Amino acid sequence: MKIAIIDGYVDEPACFGVPPYISPYIRYIAGALVERGIGRDNISYFTIDGIRNSKKEDLALLGRADLVVILSGMTVPGKYLRSSPITLKEIEYLCRTAAGVKVIGGPIRLGYSSEGGMAASTLEMADENVFVARQDIEAFVHDIIAPGPCIGDPDNVEHRMRTVGEIGRWADKGAFIIRQHPDFPNIMCEMETYRGCGRDTHCSFCTEFFYGPSTYRSVEDVVAEAASLYKEGALYFRLGRQPDLFTYHAVDLGDSLPRPNPQALESLYSGIRKVAPGLEVLHMDNANPATIATYPDECSKIMKTILKYHTPGDVAAMGMESADPAVIRANNLKAMPDDVFEAVKLMNEIGSIRGENGLSHLLPGLNFVHGLAGETKKTFGLNYDFLKNILDDGLLLRRINIRQVMPFSGTPVAEQQLPLAKNRKMFLKYKEKVRKDIDLPMLKRVVPEGTVLKDVLCEVWGESSVGTFGRQLGSYPILVGISEKLPIGEFVDVRVTGHGFRSISATVVRE
């Protein structure tokens, strides 16, 4: 049997899989296939970018595959430097091209979305050999492989969620697939600690609650996965597949905010460092500001643990969503502005020290969502004033993400009368003001002119005065425009010479 896995990329509130990132789902799928008896040599991995640039003979491999698995789903779509997520037309084309059984899954099961557009509620294909995994694609792929091995009857396979025990095995068995990534070894391996939201009630727009209550992976399983990836040549890791790293194995107190467990994070980070001693990057992603504000002592211990074992340039993305109390209450958001401010302040106190790669060790990032119920003209002013207070107080933010809400069927926001359309002109004006008055001076503070940033990966060639665009590998890396044309894939050290709203210009540092 020949199996083809196509990575159409994922971007969720708690998971990122756009190059140079590779999502854990890819490894779970590969591991599930191996567990069912498919040989590694019979599993081929393609990115959608790679397929777009493929020769005809490469595309012919898809036509000969017995099973084609397409992973996709952008529930929080953004802008990407050099990769484009798969389109519906491309999915349809690939399904027509492939003769065997086709399975589509991932976050796309919730609907297909694009920046500024509404989410489709269903994904249907005319081909009778195309099957959409309505729950976890890795479990569906595992279950359709019958003894032999051979393809069973997909119509009789249950759509189900995988278990933490299964992905513990599959992540280990599927680690080999990273070697087939076009960017290998320069890829960021997104690793899951848990998924699902532990809150009693949920933010009106978020899709994470579709995964159910929090299901924690054991420390041993996550560390074993890191060891397997490291043995395959992985050097760049992010603990990104969870809604709030600070509540990994948290203690349930019977309310909506479980108490953080600092010892679990100490065991996790020290374990990863032990099995991957030569790693180049160890970063995190999401943090709930309400957790930090409610449990500052426990979270301070966790931050200090992170600084002890991680690598600098780390970013904790905090979902603030709005500084307007009316919007916060109407959409059951996580934290009031004062709570977020305290969380930002505490992380600055512990993490703002500059590291050897030129960046602060650990900084917060803030996410804002517009178009939510209760939003008025006043909302834009409150958001701006909050950010201005952060700036005026001398605090650091690594990034400010401002996006429009994407309503997915099954979330409360999908049933609401959204106000963004009438506020769109105001939204665009406000966004530009934030970029000019907040982002620019903040970026100058985070990476002052003259700062040396180490190990910037050259990714694409630019035009005119910018010869090359590159980034450091890590969480929310700063886009660097370099004034000369450099080999793609080369790492260079650069000196900051200027600032844009969300990017910097630099020159190469040569000895």
Side-chain angles (χ1 to χ4, degrees), residues 348-381:
N348 268 257
E349 290 172 357
I350 294 174
S352 62
I353 183 172
R354 200 167 296 275
E356 62 271 14
N357 68 349
L359 296 176
S360 295
H361 267 270
L362 176 63
L363 292 180
L366 291 181
N367 299 331
F368 290 85
V369 176
H370 284 274
L372 297 174
E375 182 176 286
T376 64
K377 294 179 181 180
K378 182 181 177 181
T379 304
F380 299 100

Coordinates of all heavy atoms in Angstrom, one line a residue, residues 348-381:
N348 N 6.7 41.0 32.3 CA 7.8 41.9 32.0 C 8.8 41.9 33.2 O 10.1 41.9 32.9 CB 7.3 43.3 31.9 CG 7.0 43.7 30.4 OD1 7.7 44.4 29.8 ND2 5.9 43.2 29.9
E349 N 8.4 41.9 34.4 CA 9.3 41.9 35.5 C 10.2 40.7 35.5 O 11.4 40.8 35.9 CB 8.5 41.9 36.8 CG 7.8 43.2 37.1 CD 6.8 43.2 38.3 OE1 6.7 42.1 38.9 OE2 6.2 44.2 38.6
I350 N 9.7 39.5 35.1 CA 10.5 38.3 35.1 C 11.2 38.0 33.8 O 12.3 37.6 33.8 CB 9.6 37.1 35.5 CG1 9.0 37.3 36.9 CG2 10.3 35.8 35.3 CD1 8.0 36.3 37.3
G351 N 10.5 38.3 32.7 CA 11.0 37.8 31.4 C 11.7 38.8 30.5 O 12.2 38.5 29.4
S352 N 11.7 40.1 30.8 CA 12.2 41.1 29.8 C 13.7 41.2 29.7 O 14.2 41.9 28.8 CB 11.6 42.5 30.2 OG 12.1 42.9 31.5
I353 N 14.4 40.6 30.5 CA 15.9 40.6 30.4 C 16.3 40.1 29.1 O 15.8 39.1 28.6 CB 16.5 39.8 31.6 CG1 18.1 39.9 31.5 CG2 16.1 38.3 31.5 CD1 18.7 39.2 32.7
R354 N 17.3 40.7 28.4 CA 17.7 40.4 27.1 C 18.6 39.1 27.1 O 19.5 39.0 27.9 CB 18.4 41.6 26.4 CG 18.4 41.5 24.9 CD 18.9 42.8 24.3 NE 17.9 43.9 24.5 CZ 16.8 44.1 23.8 NH1 16.6 43.3 22.8 NH2 16.0 45.1 24.1
G355 N 18.4 38.3 26.1 CA 19.2 37.0 26.0 C 20.2 37.1 25.0 O 20.4 38.1 24.3
E356 N 20.9 36.0 24.8 CA 22.1 35.9 23.9 C 21.8 36.0 22.5 O 22.6 36.4 21.7 CB 22.9 34.7 24.2 CG 22.2 33.4 23.9 CD 21.5 32.8 25.1 OE1 21.2 33.6 26.1 OE2 21.1 31.6 25.0
N357 N 20.5 35.8 22.1 CA 20.2 35.9 20.7 C 19.7 37.3 20.3 O 19.3 37.6 19.1 CB 19.1 34.9 20.3 CG 17.7 35.2 20.9 OD1 17.6 36.0 21.8 ND2 16.7 34.5 20.5
G358 N 19.7 38.3 21.3 CA 19.4 39.7 21.0 C 18.0 40.0 21.4 O 17.6 41.2 21.4
L359 N 17.2 39.1 21.8 CA 15.8 39.3 22.2 C 15.6 39.1 23.7 O 16.4 38.4 24.3 CB 14.8 38.4 21.4 CG 14.8 38.6 19.9 CD1 13.8 37.6 19.3 CD2 14.3 40.0 19.6
S360 N 14.5 39.7 24.3 CA 14.2 39.5 25.6 C 13.8 38.0 25.8 O 13.4 37.3 24.9 CB 13.0 40.3 26.0 OG 13.3 41.7 26.0
H361 N 14.0 37.5 27.0 CA 13.8 36.1 27.2 C 12.3 35.7 27.0 O 12.0 34.8 26.2 CB 14.2 35.7 28.7 CG 15.6 35.2 28.7 ND1 15.9 33.9 28.6 CD2 16.8 35.8 28.9 CE1 17.2 33.7 28.7 NE2 17.8 34.9 28.9
L362 N 11.4 36.4 27.7 CA 10.0 36.0 27.6 C 9.1 37.3 27.7 O 9.1 38.0 28.7 CB 9.6 35.1 28.8 CG 8.1 34.6 28.9 CD1 7.7 33.9 27.6 CD2 7.9 33.8 30.1
L363 N 8.4 37.5 26.6 CA 7.5 38.7 26.6 C 6.1 38.3 26.3 O 5.9 37.3 25.6 CB 8.0 39.7 25.5 CG 9.3 40.4 25.7 CD1 9.6 41.3 24.6 CD2 9.3 41.2 27.1
P364 N 5.1 39.1 26.7 CA 3.7 38.8 26.3 C 3.4 39.3 24.9 O 4.0 40.3 24.5 CB 2.9 39.6 27.4 CG 3.8 40.7 27.8 CD 5.2 40.2 27.7
G365 N 2.4 38.7 24.3 CA 1.8 39.2 23.1 C 0.3 39.4 23.4 O -0.2 38.6 24.3
L366 N -0.4 40.3 22.8 CA -1.8 40.5 23.0 C -2.6 40.2 21.7 O -2.2 40.7 20.7 CB -2.1 41.9 23.5 CG -1.6 42.2 25.0 CD1 -2.0 43.6 25.4 CD2 -2.2 41.2 26.0
N367 N -3.7 39.5 21.8 CA -4.6 39.2 20.7 C -5.9 40.0 20.9 O -6.5 39.9 22.0 CB -4.9 37.8 20.6 CG -3.7 36.9 20.3 OD1 -2.7 37.4 19.8 ND2 -3.7 35.7 20.8
F368 N -6.3 40.7 19.9 CA -7.6 41.4 19.9 C -8.5 40.9 18.8 O -8.0 40.7 17.7 CB -7.4 43.0 19.7 CG -6.8 43.6 20.9 CD1 -5.4 43.7 21.0 CD2 -7.5 44.2 21.9 CE1 -4.8 44.3 22.1 CE2 -7.0 44.9 23.0 CZ -5.6 44.9 23.1
V369 N -9.8 40.8 19.1 CA -10.8 40.3 18.1 C -11.9 41.3 18.0 O -12.4 41.8 19.0 CB -11.4 38.9 18.5 CG1 -12.5 38.5 17.5 CG2 -10.3 37.9 18.6
H370 N -12.2 41.7 16.8 CA -13.2 42.7 16.5 C -14.4 42.1 15.8 O -14.2 41.2 15.0 CB -12.6 43.9 15.8 CG -11.8 44.8 16.7 ND1 -12.4 45.8 17.4 CD2 -10.5 44.8 16.9 CE1 -11.4 46.4 18.1 NE2 -10.3 45.8 17.8
G371 N -15.5 42.7 16.0 CA -16.8 42.2 15.4 C -17.6 41.4 16.4 O -18.6 40.8 16.0
L372 N -17.2 41.5 17.7 CA -17.9 40.7 18.7 C -19.2 41.4 19.1 O -19.3 42.7 19.0 CB -17.0 40.4 19.9 CG -15.8 39.6 19.6 CD1 -14.9 39.6 20.9 CD2 -16.2 38.2 19.2
A373 N -20.1 40.7 19.7 CA -21.3 41.3 20.3 C -21.0 42.4 21.3 O -20.1 42.2 22.1 CB -22.2 40.2 20.9
G374 N -21.7 43.5 21.2 CA -21.5 44.5 22.2 C -20.5 45.6 21.7 O -20.4 46.6 22.4
E375 N -19.9 45.4 20.6 CA -18.9 46.3 20.1 C -19.5 47.6 19.7 O -20.5 47.6 18.9 CB -18.0 45.7 19.0 CG -16.9 46.6 18.5 CD -16.1 45.9 17.4 OE1 -15.3 45.0 17.8 OE2 -16.3 46.2 16.3
T376 N -19.0 48.7 20.1 CA -19.4 50.1 19.6 C -18.2 50.9 19.3 O -17.1 50.4 19.4 CB -20.2 50.7 20.8 OG1 -19.3 51.0 21.9 CG2 -21.4 49.9 21.2
K377 N -18.5 52.1 18.9 CA -17.4 53.1 18.6 C -16.5 53.2 19.9 O -15.3 53.4 19.7 CB -17.9 54.4 18.2 CG -18.7 54.4 16.9 CD -19.2 55.8 16.6 CE -20.0 55.8 15.3 NZ -20.5 57.2 14.9
K378 N -17.1 53.1 21.0 CA -16.3 53.2 22.3 C -15.2 52.1 22.4 O -14.2 52.4 23.0 CB -17.3 53.2 23.5 CG -16.6 53.4 24.8 CD -17.7 53.3 25.9 CE -17.0 53.4 27.3 NZ -18.0 53.3 28.4
T379 N -15.5 51.0 21.9 CA -14.6 49.8 22.0 C -13.2 50.1 21.4 O -12.2 49.8 22.0 CB -15.2 48.6 21.3 OG1 -16.5 48.3 21.8 CG2 -14.3 47.4 21.5
F380 N -13.2 50.8 20.3 CA -11.9 51.1 19.6 C -11.1 52.0 20.5 O -9.9 51.8 20.6 CB -12.2 51.7 18.2 CG -12.9 50.8 17.3 CD1 -14.3 50.9 17.1 CD2 -12.2 49.8 16.7 CE1 -14.9 50.1 16.2 CE2 -12.9 48.9 15.8 CZ -14.3 49.0 15.6
G381 N -11.7 53.0 21.1 CA -11.0 53.9 22.0 C -10.5 53.2 23.2 O -9.4 53.5 23.7

